[in-house]
Coordinates of all heavy atoms in Angstrom, one line a residue:
M47 N 21.9 22.7 -27.4 CA 20.5 22.8 -26.9 C 20.5 23.5 -25.5 O 21.3 23.1 -24.7 CB 19.9 21.4 -26.8 CG 18.4 21.5 -26.3 SD 17.7 19.8 -26.3 CE 17.7 19.4 -28.0
P48 N 19.8 24.5 -25.4 CA 19.8 25.2 -24.1 C 19.2 24.4 -23.0 O 18.4 23.4 -23.3 CB 18.9 26.5 -24.4 CG 18.0 26.0 -25.5 CD 18.8 25.1 -26.3
D49 N 19.5 24.7 -21.8 CA 18.9 24.0 -20.7 C 17.4 24.3 -20.7 O 17.0 25.5 -20.9 CB 19.4 24.5 -19.4 CG 20.9 24.0 -19.2 OD1 21.2 23.0 -19.8 OD2 21.6 24.7 -18.4
R50 N 16.6 23.3 -20.5 CA 15.2 23.5 -20.5 C 14.6 23.0 -19.2 O 15.1 22.0 -18.6 CB 14.5 22.7 -21.6 CG 14.9 23.3 -23.0 CD 14.4 22.4 -24.1 NE 14.6 23.0 -25.4 CZ 14.2 22.4 -26.5 NH1 13.6 21.2 -26.5 NH2 14.5 23.0 -27.7
P51 N 13.5 23.6 -18.8 CA 12.8 23.0 -17.6 C 12.3 21.6 -18.0 O 12.1 21.3 -19.1 CB 11.7 24.0 -17.4 CG 11.5 24.7 -18.6 CD 12.8 24.7 -19.3
P52 N 12.2 20.8 -17.0 CA 11.7 19.4 -17.3 C 10.3 19.4 -17.8 O 9.5 20.3 -17.5 CB 11.8 18.7 -15.9 CG 11.7 19.8 -14.9 CD 12.4 21.0 -15.6
L53 N 10.0 18.4 -18.6 CA 8.7 18.3 -19.1 C 7.7 17.9 -18.0 O 8.1 17.1 -17.1 CB 8.6 17.3 -20.2 CG 9.3 17.6 -21.5 CD1 9.3 16.4 -22.4 CD2 8.7 18.8 -22.2
P54 N 6.5 18.4 -18.0 CA 5.6 18.0 -17.0 C 5.1 16.6 -17.3 O 5.3 16.0 -18.4 CB 4.4 19.0 -17.2 CG 4.5 19.4 -18.6 CD 6.0 19.4 -18.9
S55 N 4.5 16.0 -16.3 CA 3.9 14.7 -16.6 C 2.8 14.8 -17.6 O 2.1 15.8 -17.7 CB 3.3 14.2 -15.3 OG 2.4 13.1 -15.5
A56 N 2.7 13.8 -18.4 CA 1.6 13.8 -19.4 C 0.2 14.0 -18.8 O -0.7 14.5 -19.3 CB 1.6 12.5 -20.2
L57 N 0.1 13.6 -17.5 CA -1.2 13.7 -16.8 C -1.4 15.1 -16.3 O -2.5 15.4 -15.9 CB -1.2 12.7 -15.6 CG -0.9 11.2 -15.9 CD1 -1.0 10.4 -14.7 CD2 -1.9 10.7 -17.0
D58 N -0.4 15.9 -16.3 CA -0.6 17.3 -15.9 C -0.7 18.3 -17.0 O -0.9 19.5 -16.8 CB 0.7 17.7 -15.1 CG 0.7 17.0 -13.7 OD1 -0.4 16.6 -13.2 OD2 1.8 16.9 -13.1
L59 N -0.7 17.8 -18.2 CA -0.9 18.7 -19.3 C -2.3 19.2 -19.4 O -3.3 18.5 -19.1 CB -0.5 18.0 -20.7 CG 0.9 17.4 -20.8 CD1 1.0 16.6 -22.1 CD2 1.9 18.5 -20.7
T60 N -2.5 20.4 -19.9 CA -3.8 20.9 -20.2 C -4.2 20.1 -21.5 O -3.4 19.6 -22.2 CB -3.8 22.4 -20.5 OG1 -3.1 22.7 -21.7 CG2 -3.3 23.1 -19.3
R61 N -5.5 20.2 -21.8 CA -6.0 19.6 -23.0 C -5.3 20.1 -24.2 O -4.9 19.4 -25.1 CB -7.5 19.9 -23.1 CG -8.1 19.5 -24.4 CD -8.1 18.0 -24.6 NE -8.7 17.6 -25.9 CZ -10.0 17.3 -26.1 NH1 -10.8 17.5 -25.1 NH2 -10.4 17.0 -27.3
A62 N -5.1 21.5 -24.2 CA -4.4 22.1 -25.4 C -3.0 21.6 -25.5 O -2.5 21.4 -26.6 CB -4.5 23.6 -25.2
Q63 N -2.3 21.5 -24.4 CA -0.9 21.0 -24.4 C -0.9 19.6 -24.9 O 0.0 19.1 -25.7 CB -0.3 21.2 -23.1 CG 0.0 22.6 -22.7 CD 0.4 22.8 -21.3 OE1 -0.1 22.0 -20.4 NE2 1.2 23.8 -21.0
F64 N -1.8 18.8 -24.4 CA -1.8 17.4 -24.7 C -2.1 17.2 -26.2 O -1.5 16.3 -26.9 CB -3.0 16.7 -23.9 CG -2.9 15.2 -24.0 CD1 -2.2 14.4 -23.0 CD2 -3.6 14.5 -24.9 CE1 -2.1 13.1 -23.1 CE2 -3.6 13.1 -25.0 CZ -2.9 12.4 -24.1
D65 N -2.9 18.0 -26.7 CA -3.3 17.9 -28.2 C -2.3 18.6 -29.1 O -2.5 18.6 -30.3 CB -4.7 18.5 -28.4 CG -5.8 17.6 -27.9 OD1 -5.5 16.4 -27.6 OD2 -6.9 18.0 -27.8
G66 N -1.3 19.2 -28.5 CA -0.3 19.9 -29.3 C -0.7 21.3 -29.8 O 0.0 21.8 -30.7
W67 N -1.6 21.9 -29.1 CA -2.1 23.2 -29.5 C -1.4 24.3 -28.8 O -1.4 25.5 -29.1 CB -3.6 23.4 -29.3 CG -4.5 22.4 -30.0 CD1 -4.2 21.7 -31.1 CD2 -5.8 22.1 -29.6 NE1 -5.2 20.9 -31.4 CE2 -6.3 21.2 -30.5 CE3 -6.7 22.6 -28.6 CZ2 -7.6 20.6 -30.4 CZ3 -7.9 22.1 -28.6 CH2 -8.4 21.1 -29.5
A68 N -0.8 23.9 -27.6 CA -0.2 24.9 -26.8 C 1.2 24.5 -26.3 O 1.5 23.4 -26.2 CB -1.1 25.1 -25.5
C69 N 2.0 25.6 -26.1 CA 3.3 25.3 -25.6 C 3.3 24.6 -24.3 O 2.6 24.9 -23.4 CB 4.0 26.7 -25.4 SG 5.7 26.6 -24.7
V70 N 4.1 23.6 -24.2 CA 4.1 22.7 -23.0 C 4.7 23.5 -21.8 O 4.4 23.1 -20.6 CB 4.9 21.4 -23.2 CG1 6.4 21.7 -23.4 CG2 4.7 20.4 -22.1
W71 N 5.5 24.5 -22.0 CA 6.1 25.3 -20.9 C 5.3 26.5 -20.6 O 5.1 26.8 -19.4 CB 7.5 25.6 -21.2 CG 8.4 24.4 -21.1 CD1 8.5 23.6 -20.0 CD2 9.3 23.8 -22.0 NE1 9.4 22.6 -20.2 CE2 9.9 22.7 -21.5 CE3 9.6 24.2 -23.4 CZ2 10.8 21.9 -22.1 CZ3 10.6 23.4 -24.0 CH2 11.2 22.3 -23.4
C72 N 5.0 27.3 -21.5 CA 4.3 28.6 -21.2 C 2.8 28.6 -21.4 O 2.1 29.5 -20.9 CB 5.0 29.8 -21.9 SG 4.6 29.9 -23.7
G73 N 2.3 27.6 -22.1 CA 0.9 27.5 -22.3 C 0.3 28.4 -23.4 O -0.9 28.4 -23.7
M74 N 1.2 29.1 -24.1 CA 0.7 29.9 -25.2 C 0.3 29.1 -26.4 O 0.9 28.0 -26.7 CB 1.9 30.9 -25.7 CG 2.2 31.9 -24.7 SD 0.9 33.2 -24.5 CE 1.1 34.0 -26.1
P75 N -0.8 29.5 -27.0 CA -1.2 28.7 -28.2 C -0.1 28.7 -29.3 O 0.5 29.7 -29.5 CB -2.4 29.6 -28.7 CG -2.9 30.3 -27.5 CD -1.7 30.6 -26.7
L76 N 0.0 27.6 -29.9 CA 1.1 27.4 -30.9 C 0.5 27.8 -32.2 O -0.6 27.3 -32.6 CB 1.6 26.0 -30.9 CG 2.3 25.6 -29.6 CD1 2.6 24.1 -29.6 CD2 3.6 26.4 -29.4
R77 N 1.2 28.6 -32.9 CA 0.8 28.9 -34.3 C 1.9 28.5 -35.2 O 1.9 27.4 -35.8 CB 0.5 30.4 -34.4 CG -0.6 30.8 -33.4 CD -1.0 32.3 -33.5 NE -1.9 32.7 -32.5 CZ -3.2 32.4 -32.5 NH1 -3.7 31.7 -33.4 NH2 -4.0 32.8 -31.5
K78 N 2.9 29.4 -35.4 CA 4.0 29.0 -36.3 C 5.3 28.7 -35.5 O 5.5 29.3 -34.5 CB 4.3 30.2 -37.3 CG 3.1 30.4 -38.2 CD 3.5 31.5 -39.3 CE 3.6 32.9 -38.6 NZ 3.9 33.9 -39.6
G79 N 6.0 27.8 -36.0 CA 7.3 27.6 -35.5 C 7.4 26.7 -34.3 O 8.4 26.7 -33.6
A80 N 6.3 26.0 -34.0 CA 6.4 25.1 -32.8 C 7.4 24.1 -33.0 O 7.6 23.6 -34.2 CB 5.0 24.5 -32.7
V81 N 8.1 23.8 -32.0 CA 9.2 22.7 -32.1 C 8.9 21.6 -31.1 O 8.2 21.9 -30.0 CB 10.5 23.4 -31.7 CG1 10.9 24.4 -32.8 CG2 10.6 23.9 -30.4
S82 N 9.3 20.5 -31.4 CA 9.1 19.3 -30.5 C 9.9 19.6 -29.2 O 11.1 19.9 -29.2 CB 9.6 18.1 -31.2 OG 9.5 17.0 -30.2
A83 N 9.2 19.4 -28.1 CA 9.8 19.6 -26.8 C 10.2 18.2 -26.2 O 10.9 18.2 -25.1 CB 8.9 20.3 -25.9
G84 N 9.9 17.2 -26.8 CA 10.2 15.9 -26.3 C 8.9 15.1 -26.0 O 7.8 15.4 -26.5
R85 N 9.0 14.2 -25.1 CA 7.9 13.3 -24.8 C 7.5 13.4 -23.3 O 8.3 13.0 -22.5 CB 8.3 11.8 -25.2 CG 7.1 10.9 -25.2 CD 7.6 9.6 -25.8 NE 6.5 8.6 -25.7 CZ 5.5 8.5 -26.6 NH1 5.4 9.3 -27.6 NH2 4.6 7.5 -26.4
A86 N 6.3 13.9 -23.1 CA 5.8 13.9 -21.7 C 5.3 12.5 -21.4 O 4.5 11.9 -22.3 CB 4.7 14.9 -21.6
E87 N 5.6 12.0 -20.3 CA 5.3 10.6 -20.0 C 4.4 10.5 -18.8 O 4.4 11.4 -17.9 CB 6.5 9.8 -19.7 CG 7.4 9.7 -21.0 CD 8.6 8.8 -20.8 OE1 8.8 8.3 -19.6 OE2 9.2 8.4 -21.8
G88 N 3.5 9.6 -18.8 CA 2.6 9.4 -17.7 C 1.7 8.2 -17.9 O 1.4 7.8 -19.0
M89 N 1.4 7.6 -16.8 CA 0.5 6.4 -16.9 C -0.8 6.7 -16.2 O -0.8 7.3 -15.1 CB 1.2 5.2 -16.2 CG 2.4 4.7 -16.9 SD 2.1 4.0 -18.5 CE 1.3 2.4 -18.1
L90 N -1.9 6.4 -16.8 CA -3.2 6.5 -16.2 C -3.8 5.1 -16.0 O -4.2 4.5 -17.0 CB -4.1 7.4 -17.0 CG -5.4 7.8 -16.4 CD1 -5.2 8.7 -15.2 CD2 -6.3 8.5 -17.4
G91 N -3.6 4.6 -14.8 CA -3.9 3.2 -14.7 C -3.0 2.4 -15.5 O -1.8 2.5 -15.4
E92 N -3.6 1.6 -16.4 CA -2.8 0.7 -17.3 C -2.5 1.4 -18.6 O -1.9 0.8 -19.5 CB -3.4 -0.6 -17.5 CG -3.6 -1.4 -16.2 CD -4.2 -2.8 -16.5 OE1 -4.7 -3.0 -17.6 OE2 -4.2 -3.6 -15.6
H93 N -3.0 2.6 -18.8 CA -2.9 3.3 -20.1 C -1.7 4.2 -20.1 O -1.6 5.1 -19.2 CB -4.2 4.1 -20.3 CG -5.4 3.3 -20.5 ND1 -5.8 2.6 -21.6 CD2 -6.4 3.0 -19.6 CE1 -6.9 1.9 -21.4 NE2 -7.3 2.2 -20.1
D94 N -0.9 4.0 -21.1 CA 0.3 4.9 -21.3 C -0.2 6.1 -22.0 O -0.6 6.1 -23.1 CB 1.3 4.1 -22.1 CG 2.6 4.9 -22.3 OD1 2.7 6.1 -21.7 OD2 3.5 4.4 -22.9
M95 N -0.2 7.2 -21.2 CA -0.6 8.5 -21.8 C 0.5 9.3 -22.4 O 0.3 10.5 -22.7 CB -1.3 9.4 -20.6 CG -2.4 8.7 -20.0 SD -3.8 8.4 -21.1 CE -4.5 10.1 -21.2
S96 N 1.7 8.7 -22.5 CA 2.8 9.5 -23.0 C 2.6 10.0 -24.4 O 2.0 9.3 -25.2 CB 4.1 8.5 -23.0 OG 4.3 8.1 -21.7
I97 N 3.0 11.2 -24.6 CA 2.7 11.9 -25.9 C 3.8 12.9 -26.2 O 4.3 13.5 -25.3 CB 1.3 12.5 -25.8 CG1 0.9 12.9 -27.2 CG2 1.3 13.7 -24.8 CD1 -0.6 13.3 -27.3
E98 N 4.0 13.1 -27.5 CA 5.0 14.1 -27.8 C 4.3 15.5 -27.6 O 3.2 15.7 -28.0 CB 5.4 13.9 -29.3 CG 6.5 14.9 -29.7 CD 7.0 14.6 -31.1 OE1 6.4 13.8 -31.8 OE2 8.0 15.2 -31.5
V99 N 5.1 16.4 -27.1 CA 4.6 17.7 -26.8 C 5.5 18.7 -27.5 O 6.6 18.5 -27.9 CB 4.5 18.0 -25.3 CG1 3.4 17.1 -24.6 CG2 5.9 17.7 -24.6
Y100 N 4.9 20.0 -27.6 CA 5.6 21.0 -28.4 C 5.8 22.3 -27.6 O 5.0 22.5 -26.6 CB 4.7 21.3 -29.7 CG 4.6 20.0 -30.5 CD1 3.7 19.1 -30.3 CD2 5.6 19.8 -31.5 CE1 3.6 17.9 -31.1 CE2 5.6 18.7 -32.3 CZ 4.6 17.7 -32.1 OH 4.6 16.6 -32.9
A101 N 6.7 23.0 -28.1 CA 7.0 24.3 -27.4 C 7.0 25.4 -28.4 O 7.3 25.2 -29.6 CB 8.3 24.2 -26.7
C102 N 6.7 26.6 -28.0 CA 6.8 27.8 -28.8 C 8.2 28.1 -29.1 O 9.1 27.8 -28.3 CB 6.0 28.9 -28.3 SG 6.7 29.6 -26.8
P103 N 8.5 28.9 -30.1 CA 9.9 29.2 -30.4 C 10.6 30.0 -29.3 O 11.8 29.8 -29.0 CB 9.8 30.1 -31.7 CG 8.5 29.7 -32.3 CD 7.6 29.3 -31.2
A104 N 9.8 30.8 -28.6 CA 10.4 31.6 -27.5 C 10.9 30.7 -26.4 O 12.0 30.9 -25.9 CB 9.4 32.6 -26.9
C105 N 10.1 29.7 -26.0 CA 10.6 28.8 -25.0 C 11.7 27.9 -25.5 O 12.5 27.5 -24.7 CB 9.4 27.9 -24.5 SG 8.2 28.9 -23.5
A106 N 11.6 27.5 -26.7 CA 12.6 26.6 -27.2 C 14.0 27.3 -27.2 O 15.0 26.6 -27.0 CB 12.3 26.1 -28.7
I107 N 14.0 28.6 -27.4 CA 15.3 29.3 -27.5 C 15.7 29.8 -26.1 O 16.8 29.7 -25.7 CB 15.1 30.5 -28.5 CG1 14.9 30.0 -29.9 CG2 16.3 31.4 -28.4 CD1 14.5 31.0 -30.9
A108 N 14.7 30.4 -25.4 CA 15.0 31.0 -24.1 C 14.0 30.5 -23.1 O 12.9 31.1 -22.9 CB 14.9 32.5 -24.2
P109 N 14.2 29.3 -22.5 CA 13.2 28.7 -21.7 C 12.8 29.6 -20.5 O 13.6 30.4 -20.0 CB 14.0 27.5 -21.1 CG 15.1 27.2 -22.1 CD 15.5 28.5 -22.7
R110 N 11.6 29.5 -20.2 CA 11.1 30.3 -19.0 C 11.6 29.6 -17.8 O 12.2 28.5 -17.8 CB 9.5 30.2 -19.0 CG 8.9 30.7 -20.3 CD 9.3 32.1 -20.6 NE 8.8 32.5 -22.0 CZ 7.6 33.0 -22.2 NH1 6.8 33.2 -21.2 NH2 7.2 33.3 -23.4
T111 N 11.4 30.2 -16.7 CA 11.8 29.6 -15.4 C 11.1 28.3 -15.2 O 9.9 28.3 -15.5 CB 11.6 30.6 -14.3 OG1 10.2 31.0 -14.3 CG2 12.4 31.8 -14.4
P112 N 11.8 27.4 -14.7 CA 11.1 26.1 -14.4 C 9.8 26.4 -13.5 O 9.9 27.1 -12.6 CB 12.1 25.3 -13.6 CG 13.4 25.9 -14.0 CD 13.2 27.3 -14.3
G113 N 8.8 25.7 -13.9 CA 7.6 25.9 -13.1 C 6.6 26.9 -13.7 O 5.5 27.1 -13.2
A114 N 7.1 27.7 -14.7 CA 6.2 28.7 -15.2 C 4.9 28.1 -15.7 O 3.9 28.7 -15.6 CB 7.0 29.5 -16.3
W115 N 5.1 27.0 -16.3 CA 3.9 26.3 -16.9 C 2.9 26.0 -15.8 O 1.7 25.9 -16.0 CB 4.2 25.1 -17.7 CG 4.9 24.0 -16.9 CD1 6.2 23.9 -16.6 CD2 4.2 23.0 -16.2 NE1 6.4 22.8 -15.8 CE2 5.2 22.2 -15.6 CE3 2.9 22.5 -16.1 CZ2 4.9 21.1 -14.8 CZ3 2.6 21.4 -15.4 CH2 3.6 20.7 -14.7
V116 N 3.3 25.8 -14.6 CA 2.4 25.4 -13.5 C 1.4 26.4 -13.3 O 0.2 26.1 -13.0 CB 3.2 25.1 -12.3 CG1 2.3 24.8 -11.1 CG2 4.2 23.9 -12.5
A117 N 1.8 27.7 -13.4 CA 0.9 28.8 -13.1 C -0.2 28.8 -14.1 O -1.3 29.4 -13.9 CB 1.7 30.1 -13.2
L118 N -0.1 28.1 -15.2 CA -1.1 28.2 -16.3 C -2.0 26.9 -16.2 O -2.9 26.8 -17.0 CB -0.4 28.2 -17.6 CG 0.3 29.5 -17.9 CD1 1.3 29.4 -19.0 CD2 -0.7 30.6 -18.2
R119 N -1.7 26.1 -15.3 CA -2.4 24.8 -15.3 C -3.9 25.0 -15.0 O -4.7 24.2 -15.5 CB -1.8 23.8 -14.2 CG -0.6 23.2 -14.7 CD -0.1 22.2 -13.7 NE -1.1 21.3 -13.3 CZ -1.0 20.4 -12.3 NH1 0.1 20.4 -11.6 NH2 -1.9 19.5 -12.0
G120 N -4.2 26.0 -14.3 CA -5.6 26.2 -13.9 C -6.5 26.7 -15.1 O -7.7 26.7 -15.1
R121 N -5.8 27.1 -16.2 CA -6.5 27.7 -17.3 C -6.5 26.7 -18.4 O -5.6 26.5 -19.2 CB -5.7 28.9 -17.8 CG -6.6 29.8 -18.8 CD -5.7 30.8 -19.4 NE -4.7 30.2 -20.3 CZ -3.8 30.8 -21.0 NH1 -3.7 32.1 -20.9 NH2 -3.0 30.2 -21.8
R122 N -7.6 25.9 -18.4 CA -7.7 24.9 -19.5 C -8.3 25.5 -20.7 O -9.3 26.2 -20.6 CB -8.5 23.7 -19.0 CG -7.9 23.1 -17.7 CD -8.8 21.9 -17.3 NE -8.5 20.8 -18.2 CZ -7.5 19.9 -18.0 NH1 -6.7 20.0 -17.0 NH2 -7.3 18.9 -18.8
D123 N -7.7 25.2 -21.8 CA -8.2 25.7 -23.1 C -9.2 24.7 -23.7 O -8.8 23.9 -24.5 CB -7.0 26.0 -24.0 CG -7.5 26.6 -25.3 OD1 -8.7 26.9 -25.5 OD2 -6.6 26.9 -26.1
D124 N -10.4 24.8 -23.3 CA -11.4 23.8 -23.7 C -12.4 24.5 -24.7 O -13.5 24.1 -24.8 CB -12.2 23.2 -22.5 CG -11.3 22.3 -21.7 OD1 -10.4 21.7 -22.3 OD2 -11.5 22.2 -20.5
G125 N -12.0 25.6 -25.3 CA -12.9 26.4 -26.1 C -13.3 25.7 -27.4 O -14.2 26.1 -28.0
S126 N -12.5 24.8 -27.8 CA -12.7 24.2 -29.2 C -12.8 22.7 -29.2 O -11.9 22.0 -29.6 CB -11.6 24.7 -30.1 OG -11.5 26.1 -30.1
P127 N -13.9 22.2 -28.7 CA -14.0 20.8 -28.7 C -14.1 20.2 -30.1 O -14.8 20.7 -30.9 CB -15.3 20.5 -27.9 CG -16.1 21.8 -28.1 CD -15.1 22.9 -28.1
T128 N -13.2 19.3 -30.3 CA -13.1 18.7 -31.7 C -13.6 17.3 -31.7 O -13.9 16.8 -32.8 CB -11.7 18.8 -32.2 OG1 -10.9 18.0 -31.4 CG2 -11.2 20.2 -32.2
G129 N -13.6 16.6 -30.6 CA -13.9 15.2 -30.6 C -12.7 14.4 -31.2 O -12.9 13.2 -31.4
E130 N -11.6 15.0 -31.4 CA -10.5 14.3 -32.0 C -9.3 14.3 -31.0 O -9.3 15.2 -30.1 CB -10.0 15.0 -33.3 CG -11.1 15.1 -34.3 CD -10.6 15.9 -35.5 OE1 -9.5 16.5 -35.5 OE2 -11.3 15.8 -36.5
G131 N -8.5 13.4 -31.2 CA -7.2 13.5 -30.5 C -7.3 12.9 -29.1 O -6.3 13.0 -28.4
G132 N -8.4 12.5 -28.7 CA -8.5 11.9 -27.4 C -8.5 12.9 -26.3 O -9.6 13.3 -25.9
G133 N -7.4 13.4 -25.8 CA -7.4 14.3 -24.7 C -7.5 13.5 -23.4 O -7.6 12.3 -23.4
L134 N -7.3 14.3 -22.3 CA -7.3 13.6 -21.1 C -8.8 13.4 -20.6 O -9.6 14.3 -20.7 CB -6.6 14.5 -20.0 CG -5.1 14.6 -20.2 CD1 -4.5 15.7 -19.3 CD2 -4.4 13.3 -20.0
P135 N -9.1 12.2 -20.1 CA -10.4 12.0 -19.5 C -10.5 12.9 -18.3 O -9.5 13.1 -17.6 CB -10.4 10.5 -19.2 CG -9.0 10.1 -19.2 CD -8.2 11.0 -20.1
S136 N -11.7 13.3 -18.0 CA -11.9 14.2 -16.9 C -12.4 13.4 -15.7 O -12.7 12.3 -15.8 CB -12.8 15.3 -17.2 OG -14.1 14.8 -17.6
Ligands
ZN4 ZN1 6.3 28.7 -24.7

């Protein structure tokens, strides 16, 4: 397994990342070939927000520089409200 940047806190995930729609590292929408990246952990008060997150094949094979996902944090993918999957409370 290649070296990978650490997973972000579950509390720092975008909605899309939290719901498994977007790569946890680069933020690209996941289509085919998403792989499990592990479990992002975080507590929101007494609620355990830990959740399994996914990465695109490019990141799984050749990880981006650590912190690359941070640059994408400001871009929340809220275009498709589904009412499912919970997501992070705002
Ligand atoms: Zn990626």
Side-chain angles (χ1 to χ4, degrees):
M47 182 177 294
D49 290 339
R50 293 175 175 179
L53 291 173
S55 164
L57 304 182
D58 286 337
L59 300 175
T60 66
R61 171 67 182 271
Q63 288 168 329
F64 191 90
D65 286 347
W67 302 339
C69 174
V70 68
W71 283 306
C72 74
M74 290 291 289
L76 295 173
R77 300 184 188 284
K78 292 186 293 187
V81 298
S82 174
R85 190 169 175 85
E87 298 187 346
M89 296 291 290
L90 188 66
E92 297 181 351
H93 297 281
D94 184 359
M95 302 296 287
S96 300
I97 191 167
E98 186 172 9
V99 289
Y100 296 87
C102 69
C105 287
I107 295 169
R110 308 298 172 92
T111 55
W115 62 273
V116 173
L118 294 161
R119 280 181 57 188
R121 192 192 70 180
R122 301 183 75 87
D123 184 0
D124 289 330
S126 304
T128 64
E130 301 176 350
L134 290 170
S136 57

